[in-house]
Amino acid sequence: MRIPKGLVLMAAKIIDGKKIAQGIQDGLKKEISALGEKPCLAIVLVGNSPASETYVAKKLQACKELGMEGVLVRFDAGVKQAELENKINELNADSSVNAILVQLPLPSHINEQEIVTLVDAKKDVDGLCLLNEGKLFAGIRGLYPCTPLGIVELIESVGKIEGKHAVVVGRSNLVGKPVALLLLAKNATVSICHSRTKNIGEHTKNADILVVAVGKPKTIGAAMVKKGAIVIDVGTTKVDGKLVGDVDFEAVKEIAGAITPVPGGVGPMTVAMLARNVLAAYRMQKEEAAGGKRAGSKKKEYVEDLQ
Ligand code: NAP
C-alpha cells in the first residue's frame, strides 16, 4: 500500500497504569495521614500459592506505604469451611478492622461464594458479597470490585465514557460483569461477549472502548479493533515466564487510539483501588457510627460519589 505523502501513522497512546496508580496513591496517602488514625485491612490467605502470595505481599506493601494497617490472617490449604467462616464472623465483629479481603481463589473443597458473601458488606473491599453486587446492579452506594474500578479510571484518563459504545469481552463476577455495569452507570452503550459469542470480531470492531478480560493471550488481534479505540487489556497469563495480556499488543497499538500494556496497565490500578475502597469503607463506618445522613441512602449514587 502506498502511504500518501505527509500522512503519519500514529501509534496508540500507551496508558501508564503504574503512573496513574501512583498518582492516586499519593492522594490517598495525604488523605489517610490527615485522619489521625490508621484504617485497617485484614487479608485472609488460604494456602501458599506463589501467585496469591505475590498479590497479598503487594497489597500489604501498599497498606504500609499509605499509612494503613495491613493484617495477614493465614490458614493452611486444608482449612475447613467452618473454621474459615468463624474467622470471617470474628473479623466482621471486630471494630478495629475496617476492611476484609479474602484472597481468591480458595481451595476447591471450600465454597468460595459462601465465604465472600459472609463478609460484612460495609467491610467488603473486594465488592463481591451479594449485597454489594446488588448495589452495583441497582446503582446505589456500595463497595465495588477493585479491578473494574481501576479499569474505569484508566479509560477516563484518556477519554469520556458517556455516549460511547463499550464492548467487554469476558463475563466473570470479578471483572467482566461489574465493569460492564460500571460502564453502563457511566452512560456507555454496553455489549458483553463471552466464550459462546459468535464472531466476536464483529462486535469488538465496533467498540469505541474495548475491555478484554478473558485470560487467553492473543484473543484480540488488530483486525478486531476499531481505529482509535481505547483498549484495556485485563488478562494476565504467564508465557515462558513472562506476563502477557489477552490483546496482541504490538499489532493492536498501531490501530488503537490508546492501549494498556501488560504488565503496567490494569494490575497496579487494582491495588490503588483496593486502598481507595479501604478508605471508603473506613469513612462509611465512621459516618454510620455518627448517625450519618447518607448511610443506607437509596439515592442513585455512582462510584465517584463514594470517594
Ligand atoms: P474467568 O473467571 O476465567 O473469566 C473469563 C471469561 O472469559 C469468561 O466469561 C469466559 O466466558 C470468557 N472467555 C473464555 N474464552 C473466551 C474466548 N475465546 N472468547 C471470548 N470470551 C472468552 O477470568 P477473570 O477472573 O475474569 O479474569 C480474566 C483475566 O483477567 C485473567 O487472565 C486474570 O488473571 C486477569 N485478571 C487480572 C487482574 C489484574 O489486576 N490485572 C485482576 C483480575 C483478573 P464464559 O463465561 O462463557 O466461560
Side-chain angles (χ1 to χ4, degrees):
M1 186 180 77
R2 243 184 97 225
I3 296 171
K5 216 174 158 194
L7 180 73
V8 183
L9 287 176
M10 295 283 285
K13 175 182 168 57
I14 310 301
I15 306 172
D16 187 343
K18 229 172 153 178
K19 194 169 157 198
I20 297 168
Q22 191 56 56
I24 291 170
Q25 289 183 194
D26 289 347
L28 289 173
K29 194 171 176 177
K30 284 191 194 128
E31 283 187 62
I32 292 163
S33 75
L35 294 175
E37 59 180 350
K38 291 182 166 194
C40 173
L41 166 67
I43 301 182
V44 177
L45 175 62
V46 179
N48 54 1
S49 109
S52 290
E53 293 277 359
T54 305
Y55 295 138
V56 167
K58 280 190 182 161
K59 290 165 187 175
L60 289 171
Q61 180 63 25
C63 283
K64 204 168 158 192
E65 284 170 13
L66 297 181
M68 302 195 295
E69 201 178 329
V71 178
L72 179 58
V73 183
R74 267 185 184 278
F75 287 96
D76 289 340
V79 65
K80 295 217 163 51
Q81 179 90 20
E83 223 179 314
L84 258 187
E85 290 183 2
N86 287 342
K87 179 48 86 177
I88 301 291
N89 284 328
E90 207 180 284
L91 294 169
N92 283 342
D94 184 344
S95 61
S96 71
V97 173
N98 303 106
I100 303 168
L101 179 148
V102 180
Q103 185 63 38
L104 303 179
L106 294 173
S108 57
H109 69 280
I110 300 289
N111 183 331
E112 200 168 276
Q113 184 62 53
E114 291 208 347
I115 296 294
V116 295
T117 288
L118 200 59
V119 175
D120 184 339
K122 291 192 289 295
K123 299 186 178 187
D124 170 34
V125 280
D126 243 352
L128 293 175
C129 79
L130 293 178
L131 185 61
N132 280 323
E133 286 186 337
K135 285 183 171 183
L136 174 57
F137 183 88
I140 57 176
R141 196 175 187 226
L143 291 165
Y144 303 152
C146 305
T147 302
L149 287 175
I151 292 168
V152 168
E153 289 284 336
L154 291 173
I155 297 168
E156 288 185 324
S157 76
V158 288
K160 282 211 161 68
I161 293 175
E162 179 156 327
K164 299 283 168 58
H165 181 202
V167 175
V168 178
V169 187
R171 57 172 166 179
S172 69
N173 289 346
L174 192 65
V175 188
K177 278 186 217 161
V179 83
L181 287 168
L182 288 175
L183 292 168
L184 188 63
K186 294 263 179 185
N187 299 318
T189 301
V190 183
S191 308
I192 305 176
C193 300
H194 45 79
S195 68
R196 315 290 171 89
T197 303
K198 295 206 170 73
N199 303 321
I200 283 192
E202 292 304 313
H203 300 273
T204 58
K205 241 169 24 191
N206 292 317
D208 304 309
I209 296 168
L210 177 58
V211 178
V212 192
V214 169
K216 291 181 183 160
K218 300 208 172 161
T219 298
I220 301 294
M224 301 167 81
V225 176
K226 181 177 174 178
K227 196 167 185 319
I230 298 171
V231 179
I232 307 292
D233 189 353
V234 190
T236 49
T237 307
K238 273 251 166 94
V239 177
D240 300 329
K242 266 182 68 185
L243 209 58
V244 298
D246 293 337
V247 175
D248 183 350
F249 180 83
E250 288 307 322
V252 171
K253 80 173 174 17
E254 302 301 328
I255 307 289
I259 186 169
T260 55
V262 177
V266 174
M269 291 300 287
T270 298
V271 178
M273 292 300 109
L274 169 65
R276 204 160 81 171
N277 270 354
V278 174
L279 181 57
Y282 169 90
R283 288 214 160 111
M284 281 196 280
Q285 288 157 34
K286 292 285 165 194
E287 261 180 35
E288 200 176 82
K293 57 183 185 323
R294 299 181 64 195
S297 162
K298 286 200 175 61
K299 220 178 112 221
K300 267 198 167 197
E301 291 170 323
Y302 296 127
V303 182
E304 62 269 42
D305 189 54
L306 262 180
Q307 316 310 326

